[in-house]
Amino acid sequence: MFTMSILGLKKKQAKTFKVKVSTMDAEMEFSCEVKWKGKDLFDLVCRTIGLRETWFFGLRYTVKDTYAWLKPDKRVLDQEVPKDSPITFHFLAKFFPEKVEDELVQEITQHLFFLQVKKQILDEEIFCSPEASVLLASYAVQAKYGDYDPNFHKPGFLAQDELLPKRVLMQYQMTPDMWEEKITAWYAEHRNITRDEAEMEYLKIAQDLEMYGVSYFSITQNKRDTELLLGVDAQGLHIYSPSNKLSPNKSFPWSGIRNISYSEKEFTIKPLDKKKEVFKFYSSQLRVNKLILQLCIGNHDLFMRRRKVDSIEVQQMKAQAKEEKARKKAGGHSPQNQRGEETDGAEDERSRTTGG
């Protein structure tokens, strides 16, 4: 009888599984039904944080020595997700806009992009010159602290903030105080810029950095084992030397690609111009190849979508965002209050979406 109750308990537990989702600024736990597909979990996360510009994002997880994105149309537990409990996913931008100022509408979307790109720059996944690093840091400080006030922001107020890549700090013989002084000189110039405006200014500078929004993969060419790097981004496909991720040797813009085919670890890029040479490359890992294909299809779809008239949903979102900004300006809200207001807005969004 005791054995039967344990079996019954196991059967009951098998109907759900636990998931932990980390966004750039929060952690959430969900209890999911076993039958749920990737889309069910993804939609739940988007509703919970009040995000409507869902097409840029995905749920990423670690698998073996690489990573993968949760497929929306397949059951979560049928994918190669970790066998842990809870299963950990990272809610991240999978695709990047061509122009942040034109495409990112909601404040929550801008904020998540800002946090992700800032982390990539600080982790040196995106190369950034010392001058640009200091300017970006000054906008990050404006977004966090609001307007500069010398009576309040005394020397040393940035001591606990990570604002510059380690490579930049190591490059010059400067003390933390000297760096703070340099950043503060720019920060003082940003007066009356709200938090979301400061984050947008940050992204407008960051999007011009060469490594911004590029996913890199190791490839070889023509089975001669010539090692190269493939870069996939919003503009197209790029081929780099392994030693130089900044300047591609060859680029294939999405507008100039007829098709990309894949067979037996071999990729073929066929240009629209039939006079141009077909480019072939090889990648030996099946998981990585699936990832390359996913990013190619998704980036190409967004590239085509940008060149069409906005959907009714996007038009409505843009109109609402414009009204919201005008309301905030009229109300004279200070940058220091932006965080609280955004939380209220996200809660309103959440209750609307979930019917709460």
Side-chain angles (χ1 to χ4, degrees):
M1 194 159 177
F2 181 65
T3 313
M4 282 177 69
S5 65
I6 287 179
L7 287 171
L9 184 66
K10 278 189 176 175
K11 196 173 180 184
K12 191 178 176 185
Q13 282 178 333
K15 289 180 183 174
T16 62
F17 61 97
K18 293 266 189 290
V19 159
K20 183 169 86 174
V21 177
S22 300
T23 70
M24 288 306 301
D25 65 351
E27 278 197 352
M28 298 164 281
E29 289 215 357
F30 300 104
S31 183
C32 308
E33 292 178 36
V34 169
K35 64 181 181 185
W36 274 17
K37 291 184 176 177
K39 188 181 187 310
D40 298 312
L41 176 58
F42 179 76
D43 288 349
L44 176 60
V45 175
C46 292
R47 284 200 306 273
T48 304
I49 62 175
L51 179 86
R52 291 171 66 190
E53 293 170 275
T54 56
W55 44 88
F56 292 115
F57 295 87
L59 287 168
R60 202 171 92 168
Y61 60 93
T62 307
V63 50
K64 297 275 170 84
D65 52 351
T66 183
Y67 66 87
W69 296 92
L70 197 65
K71 292 187 181 73
D73 51 356
K74 197 173 174 185
R75 282 198 342 171
V76 175
L77 295 180
D78 289 346
Q79 302 185 49
E80 281 189 292
V81 297
K83 298 289 180 265
D84 315 328
S85 182
I87 304 169
T88 301
F89 294 99
H90 293 275
F91 185 86
L92 293 166
K94 182 179 180 182
F95 304 108
F96 287 72
E98 281 179 56
K99 278 196 171 179
V100 288
E101 61 270 40
D102 293 345
E103 291 179 59
L104 302 185
V105 180
Q106 278 189 292
E107 275 184 36
I108 178 73
T109 317
Q110 292 173 20
H111 186 56
L112 289 174
F113 265 97
F114 162 74
L115 292 174
Q116 185 169 333
V117 171
K118 181 159 77 85
K119 186 177 188 306
Q120 288 179 310
I121 288 171
L122 293 175
D123 291 349
E124 298 178 26
E125 290 172 25
I126 296 175
F127 176 83
C128 188
S129 71
E131 297 79 8
S133 296
V134 169
L135 181 57
L136 287 171
S138 71
Y139 279 114
V141 172
Q142 177 72 20
K144 181 175 179 180
Y145 292 101
D147 285 349
Y148 174 64
D149 180 348
N151 299 317
F152 184 71
H153 301 115
K154 306 275 190 192
F157 81 104
L158 295 178
Q160 301 306 312
D161 289 283
E162 189 189 358
L163 292 167
L164 297 167
K166 283 190 174 62
R167 178 187 44 77
V168 171
L169 294 170
M170 303 288 284
Q171 209 170 323
Y172 299 91
Q173 291 184 320
M174 285 172 65
T175 64
D177 291 345
M178 289 160 83
W179 281 116
E180 183 179 296
E181 201 178 313
K182 220 169 170 51
I183 292 166
T184 305
W186 278 108
Y187 166 41
E189 300 285 313
H190 303 326
R191 196 157 188 79
N192 297 324
I193 294 180
T194 62
R195 193 205 69 172
D196 55 299
E197 286 169 343
E199 291 183 350
M200 180 51 80
E201 288 304 317
Y202 186 105
L203 288 171
K204 278 158 71 174
I205 296 163
Q207 72 181 348
D208 290 333
L209 301 172
E210 288 89 348
M211 291 172 71
Y212 164 89
V214 184
S215 297
Y216 294 93
F217 301 94
S218 294
I219 58 168
T220 55
Q221 192 182 2
N222 300 332
K223 291 186 176 171
R224 288 199 305 266
D225 289 337
T226 310
E227 288 199 8
L228 296 168
L229 283 176
L230 169 74
V232 187
D233 70 5
Q235 310 285 345
L237 299 174
H238 315 280
I239 310 299
Y240 302 82
S241 303
S243 58
N244 181 4
K245 287 183 173 181
L246 300 179
S247 309
N249 304 333
K250 200 184 285 255
S251 282
F252 301 92
W254 295 122
S255 57
I257 296 175
R258 183 153 43 107
N259 69 33
I260 299 163
S261 55
Y262 164 67
S263 169
E264 292 292 315
K265 300 176 183 176
E266 179 188 81
F267 285 84
T268 305
I269 304 171
K270 289 184 180 171
L272 213 52
D273 183 349
K274 292 183 180 178
K275 291 174 190 167
K276 286 190 177 174
E277 193 184 342
V278 168
F279 185 82
K280 294 187 178 188
F281 65 88
Y282 298 83
S283 173
S284 58
Q285 282 184 279
L286 184 62
R287 281 190 194 92
V288 173
N289 295 348
K290 285 179 179 175
L291 192 50
I292 292 171
L293 273 179
Q294 265 184 38
L295 290 174
C296 286
I297 293 164
N299 272 301
H300 183 262
D301 286 350
L302 280 176
F303 177 86
M304 299 303 287
R305 176 176 166 163
R306 283 181 195 111
R307 280 140 187 86
K308 293 176 185 168
V309 177
D310 284 340
S311 67
I312 299 296
E313 184 195 6
V314 172
Q315 286 177 41
Q316 286 173 343
M317 254 192 273
K318 284 183 175 176
Q320 283 169 4
K322 204 173 177 180
E323 282 171 23
E324 182 67 13
K325 277 182 183 167
R327 185 181 68 77
K328 281 188 177 177
K329 285 275 185 199
H333 297 298
S334 69
Q336 287 91 334
N337 293 332
Q338 293 296 305
R339 166 67 65 191
E341 282 171 15
E342 191 220 41
T343 307
D344 295 343
E347 280 169 7
D348 289 347
E349 186 74 54
R350 210 155 30 241
S351 60
R352 277 202 300 276
T353 321
T354 55

